[in-house]
Amino acid sequence: MAGIFGKILIGIYVEIKRSDGRIHQAMVTSLNEDNESVTVEWIENGDTKGKEIDLESIFALNPDLAPEEEIAQSPETPPPALSSSVKVNKIPTNKNRRTIAPPKNETPARDNRVVGTTRARPSQQTEPAPAAPAPPPIQHQTLQQQQNARRKSNCVKEVEKLQEKRERRRMQQQELREKRAQEVDATTPNYEIMCMIRDFRASLDYRPLTTADLIEEHRICVCVRARPLNKKEMSMKDLDVITIPSKDVVMVHEPKQKVDLTRYLENQTFRFDYAFDDTTTNEMVYRFTARPLVETIFERGMATCFAYGQTGSGKTHTMGGDFSGKNQDCSKGIYALAARDVFLMLKKPNYKKLDLQVYATFFEIYSGKVFDLLNRKAKLRVLEDGKQQVQVVGLQEREVKCTEDVLKLIEVGNSCRTSGQTSANAHSSRSHAVFQIILRRRGKMHGKFSLIDLAGNERGADTSSADRQTRLEGAEINKSLLALKECIRALGRNKPHTPFRASKLTQVLRDSFIGENSRTCMIATISPGMASCENTLNTLRYANRVKEFGISPSDIPFSQGGGGRSELSPTYEYDDFASSPSRVKELTVDPSAVMEGRTGGHQMTQLDVLEAQWGVGSSPQRDDLKLLCEQNEEEVSPQLFTFHEAVSQLVEMEEQVLEDHRAVFQESIRWLEDEKVLIEMTEEVDYDVDSYATQLEQILDQKIDVLTELRDKVKAFRSALQEEEQASKQINPKRPRAL
């Protein structure tokens, strides 16, 4: 042991080299013979630190502590007289020369010279003894490698193994990248993402919906329809990121990027009652969605079917029919297909004896106002009668005798429906279109089927637009979609109260959400392009919340040997989405720019003054709006609720101003007639001057009172418009949080 460690003793100080290159002294605390190393300790920043260092590193920095070389006796050299130890012969060595000592307890070979690892000091150099033949270079190198390997600590060996694995892995990755680079299609953007999607789809076992599948009975049916890529998307070489592997599962392949710029897919999975892929026809969609609802209206029920989704995702195509350019074939839409089945049902014996008559209405709801599409877009009023039944005053009902009559009405209504140009669609629907088929028996309503083509859900982002009309339009769409969701959920859960007064859309459809014999079907339409991925996810999350489906790994039809589900597709249940709420468009207000809450002790705003003056602060509409916002706290902040409140009050105030203006106009006609009588009276020779002055003063007083009141209301209305504009500037769109 003394020969191995040389002059190293416990308690002496030696020079050591740290991992960062520093060299300082440390005290030897133990000698480790098993792995030929020493343990040293030193004090640094008040703390005692230590490490294990192999002898070779110690001797490299402390050559004066190295053991002296031993030379084995050869047959030609007579052994000198030894007492109890072996005589050590001194030989001259180079300062940087390293020799190898034999393993412990091992007899040296007769033909080999075995020397210890040392660096002899010049003072110790003596004349060399007769040298034996030097060992062959290869054998010398092999012995050196074995000695170095034996002297390495286990930690160093593990580090070297890890480094070898890392280098091997890097070479494999480099080869894989080079191989993929040769296969890349430079003309296709996002080629890497396309390959990931293709590989994932290859692991699935497709079981799409067919006509042979059973039609299940649902009080609330929620389904999804994906359209194919359109010409614009194909010209831009956009990727299809939607996969529908089975009749009730939809998967979205959302491209993501890691911190190191590595791209990957996040496969988000949703489950619904039915899922229709891009090859499905309108007849197939109608078979599983609206057709089961037709019989409901013959059983004195209320049925509702509506299409929801992003602009350009296929809502109007699904409800109204196929498009050929700007011309629409109305005979292939759900409107016409439902009307066809209604007239077929009328011919059945059990319904023919009821002597039912069929009527149709077609109106649109735009920016909180109702317009009759069958009567030159006449503006209508929505009121509640004494029995709390919602009545659309002035809405025309047209009697229809056959499917052709219905098609004519649909063509007339679609021709004058409000539309506009957006980035997603050059002919975008900006309003909710409601087509109703009404059955009446002896003048009384027997059943009603409401088919709704909703406005694009992405227009909820326009609440911060510079244009007031677009801003109010977006706020109304946002509010009506939230209200529609809550009304459907209340229907499914049999809640005692339905917040139908929160928007004009749900107010008009009130009787469709009330009663045990009410059924609803929702068709969520989605765009398949990668550019529409965010809006597609918003649509699917909204639809998921309507009925709160759960999804499990077993719902995904992987083929045998297709890989583990947890690796290929992370799945989410509704509770997972609750922490990252689905949004028609999530909005927030800059905290630094938000005024204090309206209920706290603060200076009264113009809206508070208007509430007291106009009496609109405690209306049923406001109560339902407040309930709606409380049920969607994740999506509607208190400041956004205040904004919606201001918009609702503006709509009410606008209606009151218009009513008062009409009343003043009618009153002005009466005043003109009274003044004409007074002027004719003055043409008489002996007219009563006192009576003339008295009557004229009365007319003028009436004018002053009425016009002053109208002027004050108009001023207050203008102030409310300015306050709404200021509030809208504080609202900024916020991107949905990642799942």
Side-chain angles (χ1 to χ4, degrees):
M1 176 174 176
I4 296 175
F5 292 100
K7 297 180 181 180
I8 300 176
L9 300 174
I10 295 176
I12 70 170
Y13 283 85
V14 295
E15 297 284 342
I16 67 169
K17 186 175 182 179
R18 301 286 296 279
S19 57
D20 56 2
R22 290 182 296 157
I23 297 177
H24 61 81
Q25 287 191 336
M27 186 177 70
V28 178
T29 58
S30 65
L31 305 178
N32 307 316
E33 186 179 3
D34 53 348
N35 58 0
E36 297 189 2
S37 64
V38 297
T39 304
V40 296
E41 292 183 359
W42 69 94
I43 298 177
E44 184 176 340
N45 296 329
D47 297 330
T48 301
K49 297 186 177 181
K51 65 185 296 187
E52 187 179 282
I53 307 176
D54 61 282
L55 289 175
E56 185 178 356
S57 300
I58 293 290
F59 294 149
L61 294 174
N62 303 272
D64 55 330
L65 300 179
E68 297 176 351
E69 292 186 346
E70 297 179 359
I71 300 179
Q73 298 294 329
S74 63
E76 294 81 0
T77 307
L82 296 176
S83 57
S84 61
S85 61
V86 180
K87 181 179 179 180
V88 179
N89 293 322
K90 305 293 179 66
I91 61 174
T93 60
N94 192 348
K95 186 174 181 180
N96 295 324
R97 179 182 171 189
R98 294 183 183 178
T99 54
I100 302 173
K104 255 189 341 279
N105 303 327
E106 196 173 297
T107 305
R110 177 178 290 268
D111 295 328
N112 294 336
R113 299 291 185 269
V114 182
V115 294
T117 302
T118 181
R119 288 169 180 79
R121 289 173 292 182
S123 59
Q124 294 177 334
Q125 293 181 2
T126 60
E127 290 298 324
I138 297 177
Q139 189 175 2
H140 184 280
Q141 186 178 1
T142 304
L143 291 172
Q144 185 176 2
Q145 291 177 351
Q146 292 177 354
Q147 189 70 9
N148 289 341
R150 187 167 61 85
R151 286 183 172 179
K152 289 179 182 177
S153 65
N154 293 332
C155 180
V156 175
K157 293 177 183 178
E158 290 298 325
V159 170
E160 289 178 350
K161 288 181 182 178
L162 291 175
Q163 189 171 2
E164 289 177 3
K165 290 181 180 179
R166 189 183 305 115
E167 292 297 330
R168 197 181 309 119
R169 188 166 58 249
R170 285 176 179 172
M171 291 180 63
Q172 292 175 353
Q173 291 175 352
Q174 182 64 24
E175 292 175 358
L176 186 60
R177 278 195 294 266
E178 292 176 357
K179 184 179 178 182
R180 288 180 177 177
Q182 296 175 356
E183 300 175 353
V184 167
D185 184 1
T187 61
T188 304
N190 301 306
Y191 180 80
E192 186 179 4
I193 296 295
M194 183 182 72
C195 293
M196 293 181 190
I197 296 175
R198 183 184 59 197
D199 294 342
F200 179 82
R201 287 172 175 165
S203 67
L204 298 176
D205 181 19
Y206 285 86
R207 297 192 294 269
L209 189 68
T210 63
T211 54
D213 290 315
L214 295 177
I215 301 175
E216 302 174 358
E217 291 290 331
H218 300 283
R219 188 177 186 189
I220 298 176
C221 177
V222 180
C223 60
V224 173
R225 183 184 192 184
R227 64 163 175 80
L229 291 170
N230 56 32
K231 292 181 180 179
K232 181 179 178 181
E233 292 167 336
M234 293 176 69
S235 64
M236 296 172 59
K237 296 190 176 181
D238 200 359
L239 296 182
D240 184 353
V241 296
I242 302 298
T243 300
I244 301 179
S246 66
K247 66 178 183 179
D248 58 355
V249 173
V250 178
M251 304 186 72
V252 182
H253 311 292
E254 184 181 10
K256 290 293 186 72
Q257 198 168 26
K258 295 181 181 178
V259 180
D260 60 356
L261 303 184
T262 304
R263 304 187 73 182
Y264 68 99
L265 287 181
E266 185 171 328
N267 300 307
Q268 303 198 32
T269 308
F270 300 85
R271 187 172 67 84
F272 301 98
D273 290 315
Y274 301 108
F276 304 100
D277 59 21
D278 53 3
T279 62
T280 308
T281 61
N282 275 358
E283 288 81 359
M284 182 80 163
V285 175
Y286 171 74
R287 171 186 172 86
F288 287 93
T289 57
R291 186 178 178 183
L293 305 183
V294 173
E295 190 173 355
T296 301
I297 65 175
F298 285 89
E299 302 294 337
R300 303 183 63 84
M302 300 291 178
T304 307
C305 178
F306 63 94
Y308 166 85
Q310 174 194 3
T311 296
S313 60
K315 300 184 301 296
T316 304
H317 168 86
T318 301
M319 303 302 292
D322 296 340
F323 277 94
S324 177
K326 290 187 177 180
N327 300 320
Q328 189 175 19
D329 184 4
C330 301
S331 62
K332 295 184 179 180
I334 290 182
Y335 292 155
L337 295 174
R340 180 197 65 188
D341 282 356
V342 166
F343 289 111
L344 290 176
M345 295 278 287
L346 281 175
K347 296 178 181 179
K348 290 188 176 181
N350 50 340
Y351 298 127
K352 191 174 183 179
K353 61 184 179 181
L354 296 177
D355 192 22
L356 298 173
Q357 293 177 309
V358 184
Y359 293 84
T361 65
F362 200 8
F363 59 91
E364 73 171 356
I365 302 173
Y366 174 71
S367 191
K369 304 177 183 65
V370 183
F371 301 93
D372 192 347
L373 295 178
L374 301 181
N375 187 21
R376 301 175 183 177
K377 291 193 74 172
K379 189 176 180 180
L380 308 174
R381 299 183 64 192
V382 180
L383 303 172
E384 287 190 37
D385 58 18
K387 299 179 181 179
Q388 291 188 340
Q389 296 296 317
V390 177
Q391 304 291 340
V392 183
V393 181
L395 179 63
Q396 288 193 359
E397 291 185 4
R398 303 283 184 89
E399 186 175 3
V400 287
K401 299 290 186 181
C402 59
T403 308
E404 287 71 21
D405 293 345
V406 174
L407 294 179
K408 290 179 182 178
L409 295 182
I410 295 173
E411 289 177 359
V412 171
N414 284 337
S415 64
C416 58
R417 184 181 174 187
T418 302
S419 63
Q421 184 172 359
T422 66
S423 59
N425 193 353
H427 192 70
S428 170
S429 303
R430 299 169 64 192
S431 62
H432 306 308
V434 182
F435 183 78
Q436 293 181 325
I437 299 174
I438 302 171
L439 298 181
R440 292 191 179 275
R441 184 184 183 190
R442 298 169 188 171
K444 294 184 178 180
M445 183 179 293
H446 183 80
K448 181 164 63 176
F449 197 168
S450 299
L451 300 135
I452 305 109
D453 177 11
L454 296 173
N457 62 352
E458 82 287 345
R459 283 198 167 263
D462 294 334
T463 49
S464 58
S465 172
D467 178 26
R468 173 177 282 113
Q469 185 59 41
T470 305
R471 191 164 61 238
L472 297 179
E473 172 190 321
E476 181 61 32
I477 292 174
N478 200 334
K479 183 175 62 176
S480 61
L481 293 176
L482 285 176
L484 182 63
K485 177 186 70 175
E486 291 303 323
C487 288
I488 296 175
R489 293 176 71 176
L491 171 66
R493 299 178 179 182
N494 295 318
K495 289 185 177 180
H497 177 69
T498 303
F500 65 90
R501 294 185 182 89
S503 73
K504 275 289 190 294
L505 174 65
T506 50
Q507 192 175 3
V508 169
L509 300 175
R510 174 187 182 275
D511 50 4
S512 298
F513 305 122
I514 306 297
E516 296 181 357
N517 200 10
S518 298
R519 296 177 64 188
T520 298
C521 175
M522 171 182 173
I523 305 172
T525 58
I526 55 177
S527 302
M530 189 172 75
S532 306
C533 192
E534 181 179 337
N535 285 317
T536 295
L537 287 172
N538 284 338
T539 300
L540 293 174
R541 290 169 188 153
Y542 177 93
N544 190 70
R545 277 175 171 73
V546 169
K547 199 172 179 180
E548 300 182 2
F549 291 92
I551 181 74
S552 63
S554 60
D555 295 323
I556 306 172
F558 285 97
S559 59
Q560 295 295 329
R565 293 182 175 86
S566 60
E567 297 176 0
L568 290 172
S569 176
T571 57
Y572 304 94
E573 296 198 6
Y574 175 75
D575 294 336
D576 298 327
F577 291 120
S579 60
S580 57
S582 143
R583 287 166 172 73
V584 175
K585 191 70 179 182
E586 182 185 356
L587 299 172
T588 186
V589 177
D590 186 4
S592 62
V594 176
M595 55 186 178
E596 295 180 7
R598 299 181 61 179
T599 57
H602 65 287
Q603 186 177 1
M604 291 186 66
T605 63
Q606 184 67 26
L607 285 176
D608 298 325
V609 176
L610 295 175
E611 286 181 12
Q613 180 179 350
W614 293 62
V616 297
S618 58
S619 63
Q621 288 82 359
R622 182 179 180 183
D623 294 339
D624 277 359
L625 179 61
K626 186 175 182 180
L627 177 62
L628 175 68
C629 294
E630 288 176 352
Q631 292 173 340
N632 295 271
E633 290 180 355
E634 304 93 348
E635 304 173 41
V636 183
S637 64
Q639 295 80 17
L640 183 57
F641 165 63
T642 302
F643 174 72
H644 279 309
E645 220 176 15
V647 172
S648 299
Q649 289 179 3
L650 282 180
V651 173
E652 294 181 31
M653 292 166 66
E654 180 185 1
E655 292 179 355
Q656 289 189 28
V657 168
L658 291 176
E659 288 180 10
D660 290 350
H661 191 191
R662 290 191 186 96
V664 170
F665 177 74
Q666 296 295 331
E667 193 70 15
S668 298
I669 296 175
R670 187 180 64 80
W671 290 333
L672 288 174
E673 293 175 352
D674 293 344
E675 290 175 10
K676 182 180 179 181
V677 172
L678 285 178
I679 292 175
E680 290 175 353
M681 184 180 68
T682 59
E683 294 177 355
E684 297 178 2
V685 177
D686 55 348
Y687 74 94
D688 188 351
V689 177
D690 186 52
S691 175
Y692 165 76
T694 303
Q695 293 183 38
L696 181 58
E697 185 180 10
Q698 290 176 351
I699 293 174
L700 294 175
D701 288 341
Q702 289 179 5
K703 280 187 176 183
I704 291 172
D705 293 341
V706 173
L707 292 176
T708 300
E709 183 180 357
L710 179 60
R711 184 196 62 186
D712 293 341
K713 287 194 173 184
V714 172
K715 282 185 177 180
F717 182 55
R718 288 188 62 191
S719 299
L721 288 173
Q722 294 175 359
E723 182 123 351
E724 179 273 333
E725 185 170 358
Q726 292 176 359
S728 67
K729 291 178 180 178
Q730 299 172 352
I731 300 178
N732 299 315
K734 177 181 176 183
R735 295 180 66 84
R737 287 177 292 183
L739 290 176

